[in-house]
Amino acid sequence: MKTITRNLLQPLLATALLTGSLLAEAQEYLVELLVFSQPGAQLTPAAGPGMDWDERATALDDTVRGDIRSIDPTRHRLDSDARKLESNGYEIRFHRAWTQPADPHLSVAVREGQPMTDAGGDLLYPVQGLVSLDTDPLSARVTLWLNHATAAEPVSERLQTTRRLRLDETHYLDHRSLGALIRISQP
């Protein structure tokens, strides 16, 4: 009887574990990202995003995917942080929230502001970036560009990091002349 039970339960247990791991990979998270800069801070020039910066990403503003969607600003949790930053002289450059599945092979492309072109004819936005999530452990891979219009041509700054996160905690992503706050929660 034990052999029959073991032979029946092992495939069921394996199926349950596989199903559980697939569900964990497909789990949706709410991502809130706040990007800010210090006016008058010395810029740290970096390579711009290039023409194909979002080629393999899903554009937040243009997707029809049901698991990636913008969240209404009334649900933002970083509003008080944004007000504190502004009262201390920082400029909020980007503040958005969206849902996104945790999949290290999926990047969500975000952008903000009126587009401009650089000397190579590439289209740049004042803020643009890519965000990917992974669950093992919960972490975010973030690449952000702040593109500044100048008299000669746009100057780009880049923040690129991978950061382990905890649910429902605000995490600070540091760079010399810009910064970001990111918060991951479950919708």
Side-chain angles (χ1 to χ4, degrees), residues 3-133:
T3 305
I4 293 172
T5 305
R6 188 178 322 133
N7 288 341
L8 289 174
L9 286 179
Q10 283 179 339
L12 289 173
L13 183 58
T15 303
L17 289 172
L18 179 61
T19 303
S21 69
L22 291 174
L23 287 174
E25 284 182 26
Q27 177 144 11
E28 269 185 27
Y29 290 92
L30 192 145
V31 178
E32 186 171 355
L33 182 64
L34 175 81
V35 180
F36 56 92
S37 63
Q38 176 71 43
Q42 183 174 350
L43 301 180
T44 307
M51 180 175 61
D52 59 352
W53 72 279
D54 62 349
E55 183 175 280
R56 293 190 174 108
T58 300
L60 177 61
D61 294 328
D62 302 328
T63 187
V64 294
R65 289 180 60 147
D67 57 351
I68 300 173
R69 60 192 177 283
S70 287
I71 298 298
D72 188 84
T74 60
R75 294 183 54 200
H76 287 178
R77 299 243 175 115
L78 296 176
D79 284 339
S80 64
D81 297 289
R83 286 191 295 277
K84 286 177 191 173
L85 287 165
E86 286 177 319
S87 70
N88 285 307
Y90 292 92
E91 181 182 351
I92 304 303
R93 305 290 302 271
F94 178 90
H95 188 185
R96 299 271 308 267
W98 63 91
T99 59
Q100 171 176 348
D103 177 351
H105 305 292
L106 170 73
S107 291
V108 173
V110 296
R111 63 181 187 259
E112 187 75 34
Q114 293 297 316
M116 57 187 134
T117 54
D118 66 7
D122 292 337
L123 193 62
L124 300 175
Y125 292 87
V127 179
Q128 56 196 91
L130 301 166
V131 178
S132 297
L133 297 179

